[in-house]
mmCIF file of all heavy atoms in Angstrom:
data_model
loop_
_atom_site.group_PDB
_atom_site.id
_atom_site.type_symbol
_atom_site.label_atom_id
_atom_site.label_comp_id
_atom_site.label_asym_id
_atom_site.label_seq_id
_atom_site.Cartn_x
_atom_site.Cartn_y
_atom_site.Cartn_z
ATOM 1 N N PRO K 94 -36.346 7.035 -20.785
ATOM 2 C CA PRO K 94 -34.837 6.794 -20.822
ATOM 3 C C PRO K 94 -34.346 6.633 -19.335
ATOM 4 O O PRO K 94 -34.681 7.519 -18.463
ATOM 5 C CB PRO K 94 -34.320 8.108 -21.418
ATOM 6 C CG PRO K 94 -35.446 8.653 -22.140
ATOM 7 C CD PRO K 94 -36.698 8.221 -21.398
ATOM 8 N N THR K 95 -33.590 5.600 -19.083
ATOM 9 C CA THR K 95 -33.278 5.316 -17.706
ATOM 10 C C THR K 95 -31.859 4.731 -17.623
ATOM 11 O O THR K 95 -31.538 3.777 -18.365
ATOM 12 C CB THR K 95 -34.206 4.170 -17.077
ATOM 13 O OG1 THR K 95 -35.555 4.644 -17.312
ATOM 14 C CG2 THR K 95 -33.873 3.921 -15.725
ATOM 15 N N GLU K 96 -31.019 5.402 -16.791
ATOM 16 C CA GLU K 96 -29.643 4.920 -16.528
ATOM 17 C C GLU K 96 -29.689 3.892 -15.440
ATOM 18 O O GLU K 96 -29.019 2.839 -15.475
ATOM 19 C CB GLU K 96 -28.702 6.035 -16.127
ATOM 20 C CG GLU K 96 -27.354 5.572 -15.715
ATOM 21 C CD GLU K 96 -26.425 6.679 -15.416
ATOM 22 O OE1 GLU K 96 -26.421 7.755 -16.114
ATOM 23 O OE2 GLU K 96 -25.699 6.557 -14.411
ATOM 24 N N ARG K 97 -30.531 4.122 -14.415
ATOM 25 C CA ARG K 97 -30.716 3.258 -13.339
ATOM 26 C C ARG K 97 -32.041 3.491 -12.666
ATOM 27 O O ARG K 97 -32.579 4.572 -12.653
ATOM 28 C CB ARG K 97 -29.625 3.497 -12.188
ATOM 29 C CG ARG K 97 -29.828 2.701 -10.937
ATOM 30 C CD ARG K 97 -28.639 2.658 -10.031
ATOM 31 N NE ARG K 97 -28.314 1.238 -9.953
ATOM 32 C CZ ARG K 97 -27.133 0.894 -9.547
ATOM 33 N NH1 ARG K 97 -26.243 1.729 -9.110
ATOM 34 N NH2 ARG K 97 -26.845 -0.391 -9.437
ATOM 35 N N VAL K 98 -32.686 2.417 -12.127
ATOM 36 C CA VAL K 98 -33.987 2.568 -11.485
ATOM 37 C C VAL K 98 -33.778 2.479 -9.942
ATOM 38 O O VAL K 98 -33.169 1.453 -9.488
ATOM 39 C CB VAL K 98 -34.968 1.493 -11.949
ATOM 40 C CG1 VAL K 98 -36.270 1.511 -11.209
ATOM 41 C CG2 VAL K 98 -35.264 1.484 -13.427
ATOM 42 N N TYR K 99 -34.171 3.488 -9.285
ATOM 43 C CA TYR K 99 -34.108 3.386 -7.793
ATOM 44 C C TYR K 99 -35.388 2.856 -7.284
ATOM 45 O O TYR K 99 -36.493 3.254 -7.800
ATOM 46 C CB TYR K 99 -33.957 4.912 -7.282
ATOM 47 C CG TYR K 99 -32.763 5.621 -7.745
ATOM 48 C CD1 TYR K 99 -32.699 6.963 -7.999
ATOM 49 C CD2 TYR K 99 -31.431 4.919 -7.749
ATOM 50 C CE1 TYR K 99 -31.566 7.642 -8.378
ATOM 51 C CE2 TYR K 99 -30.312 5.642 -8.087
ATOM 52 C CZ TYR K 99 -30.410 6.982 -8.393
ATOM 53 O OH TYR K 99 -29.256 7.637 -8.785
ATOM 54 N N VAL K 100 -35.299 2.001 -6.324
ATOM 55 C CA VAL K 100 -36.458 1.360 -5.671
ATOM 56 C C VAL K 100 -36.234 1.458 -4.167
ATOM 57 O O VAL K 100 -35.259 0.946 -3.681
ATOM 58 C CB VAL K 100 -36.568 -0.153 -6.088
ATOM 59 C CG1 VAL K 100 -37.767 -0.795 -5.386
ATOM 60 C CG2 VAL K 100 -36.701 -0.295 -7.640
ATOM 61 N N LEU K 101 -37.209 2.137 -3.525
ATOM 62 C CA LEU K 101 -37.043 2.306 -2.098
ATOM 63 C C LEU K 101 -38.384 2.434 -1.469
ATOM 64 O O LEU K 101 -39.321 2.918 -2.054
ATOM 65 C CB LEU K 101 -36.087 3.375 -1.722
ATOM 66 C CG LEU K 101 -36.426 4.807 -2.105
ATOM 67 C CD1 LEU K 101 -35.750 5.795 -1.245
ATOM 68 C CD2 LEU K 101 -36.162 5.083 -3.570
ATOM 69 N N SER K 102 -38.554 2.016 -0.173
ATOM 70 C CA SER K 102 -39.759 2.165 0.583
ATOM 71 C C SER K 102 -39.422 3.269 1.615
ATOM 72 O O SER K 102 -38.512 3.163 2.355
ATOM 73 C CB SER K 102 -40.172 0.902 1.303
ATOM 74 O OG SER K 102 -41.269 1.098 2.026
ATOM 75 N N LEU K 103 -40.315 4.289 1.540
ATOM 76 C CA LEU K 103 -40.182 5.364 2.479
ATOM 77 C C LEU K 103 -41.493 5.518 3.244
ATOM 78 O O LEU K 103 -42.463 4.812 3.048
ATOM 79 C CB LEU K 103 -39.956 6.749 1.702
ATOM 80 C CG LEU K 103 -38.612 6.742 0.985
ATOM 81 C CD1 LEU K 103 -38.520 8.010 0.068
ATOM 82 C CD2 LEU K 103 -37.454 6.725 1.910
ATOM 83 N N GLY K 104 -41.639 6.443 4.112
ATOM 84 C CA GLY K 104 -42.782 6.602 4.925
ATOM 85 C C GLY K 104 -42.452 6.390 6.435
ATOM 86 O O GLY K 104 -41.365 6.023 6.698
ATOM 87 N N SER K 105 -43.418 6.597 7.246
ATOM 88 C CA SER K 105 -43.157 6.453 8.713
ATOM 89 C C SER K 105 -44.384 6.361 9.407
ATOM 90 O O SER K 105 -45.471 6.693 8.899
ATOM 91 C CB SER K 105 -42.408 7.825 9.098
ATOM 92 O OG SER K 105 -42.555 8.096 10.450
#
Side-chain angles (χ1 to χ4, degrees):
T95 305
E96 177 179 315
R97 171 163 246 166
V98 176
Y99 298 140
V100 177
L101 61 159
S102 178
L103 298 172
S105 160

